[in-house]
Amino acid sequence: MEQLAQKKATAKNTKTLQIIQSEFENSNRIALSVDCVIFGFDENKLKVLLIRSDLTDYKGKWSLLGDLVGPAEDLRNAAYRVLKQRTGLNDLYLEQVKTFGTVGRHPVGRVVTVAYCSLINVQHHKLNILDNELHWHDIKNVTDLAFDHQEIFDTCLNQLQKRVQEHPLGFSLLPKKFSLRELQNLYEAILDIKMDRRNFRKKFFAMDFLIDTGEMEQDVPHRPGKLYKFNYEKYEKKKKKWSGIDF
């Protein structure tokens, strides 16, 4: 009897595809969107790409690059479409970070958004579209964004700071040959901290991923430093055992 009662209860609580479809058709409409947080390294500063919101509710406020996802559009394709339409850029790597679905986050109704993030060298990627005052902003000056974009921005920044300590992402932003001064400036900009010069260099030399090129900086306003390259081949062999950089 007890087993029979359990089977009946299970059958009662089991939803068929038809029931789920009916619930879906009769439920409140929920829209899906994507937001792109594009970080750029430029002039020893970490910046983010922002655009003026064109909604009356957020008149004068800055926002991230975003749009609704089309009914026949994949999430990733939607993110790349937004990037292409808003900036003209189409050669960036986007990484999905998090979904944001707080009720009331969008004035038009229930909208759930998926955030994507990228990190680029500003000098290597020219913006081809500048509508709605699109331009780079120093991350230190980013406050009170439209919608819940401040929360999205903060989340993606925290994720980026975590990632650059776990993986050597920052080296792609530097010239092939770089000085330790340039390397430290990069990490200080992304992590938003000041580092002791001696300890910083000690940590990187201990990792044994830097190759001394035997060359020196040229035409610099300070004492020329040695130039190094990152040993990607050695990193690929050791990355499974590498625990990251602890600053």
Side-chain angles (χ1 to χ4, degrees), residues 58-69:
Y58 298 106
K59 185 177 180 180
K61 287 196 173 187
W62 296 100
S63 71
L64 301 169
L65 310 178
D67 195 11
L68 296 178
V69 178

Side-chain angles (χ1 to χ4, degrees), residues 18 23 31 47 56 59 86 94 131-132 134 142 148 155 225 228:
Q18 288 77 12
E23 289 179 347
K47 302 180 180 182
T56 305
K59 185 177 180 180
R86 291 292 197 175
L94 291 173
D131 295 348
N132 289 45
L134 175 73
V142 176
D148 58 349
T155 300
Y228 296 85

Side-chain angles (χ1 to χ4, degrees), residues 70-127:
E73 192 174 33
D74 291 339
L75 279 173
R76 182 168 292 276
N77 290 343
Y80 279 106
R81 171 181 58 79
V82 167
L83 202 59
K84 177 69 174 178
Q85 290 179 346
R86 291 292 197 175
T87 70
L89 300 174
N90 59 2
D91 57 347
L92 305 188
Y93 169 75
L94 291 173
E95 179 178 343
Q96 190 178 123
V97 178
K98 186 179 176 180
T99 300
F100 296 82
T102 303
V103 176
R105 62 170 299 275
H106 200 291
V108 302
R110 189 79 166 96
V111 180
V112 175
T113 194
V114 180
Y116 284 84
C117 180
S118 185
L119 175 63
I120 66 174
N121 185 317
V122 172
Q123 298 302 319
H124 297 166
H125 297 83
K126 181 182 177 181
L127 300 177

